[in-house]
Amino acid sequence: MNYSKEDLLEAKRQIDSTLHKLQETVKTLEGKDPARCKSQITLAKRRIQAFTIARSLIERELEHPVE
């Protein structure tokens, strides 16, 4: 499926925002009782990894659009 440059830029902006929030969430949870918040920390870190991959793929598409 082809997406417009504007769609990709907006998706990247939203992903960047979500990544920032997730990173702050991890810091907060690790600052509390990491043992008690282990599952939430793991979930947030997995989401960070997934969003980082998505951002990378969007950036690749912006650099080398498929015609």
Side-chain angles (χ1 to χ4, degrees), residues 27-52:
K27 285 181 193 175
T28 300
L29 291 172
E30 288 178 338
K32 293 183 178 183
D33 183 4
R36 194 174 129 239
C37 301
K38 186 176 179 181
S39 62
Q40 291 94 335
I41 293 168
T42 299
L43 178 62
K45 286 182 176 181
R46 288 180 180 164
R47 287 179 175 167
I48 288 170
Q49 184 177 16
F51 279 114
T52 301

Side-chain angles (χ1 to χ4, degrees), residues 2 8-10 13 15 26 37 41-42 44 46 54 61 63:
N2 292 325
L8 292 171
L9 288 170
E10 179 59 22
R13 190 178 76 78
I15 287 171
V26 169
C37 301
I41 293 168
T42 299
R46 288 180 180 164
E61 179 66 22
E63 290 172 10

Side-chain angles (χ1 to χ4, degrees), residues 2 12-15 18 20-21 24 27 34-35 39 41 49-51 55 62 64 67:
N2 292 325
K12 183 181 176 303
R13 190 178 76 78
Q14 293 299 323
I15 287 171
T18 302
H20 176 74
K21 291 174 187 173
E24 292 301 313
K27 285 181 193 175
S39 62
I41 293 168
Q49 184 177 16
F51 279 114
R55 180 178 60 190
L62 286 166
H64 308 287
E67 299 285 327

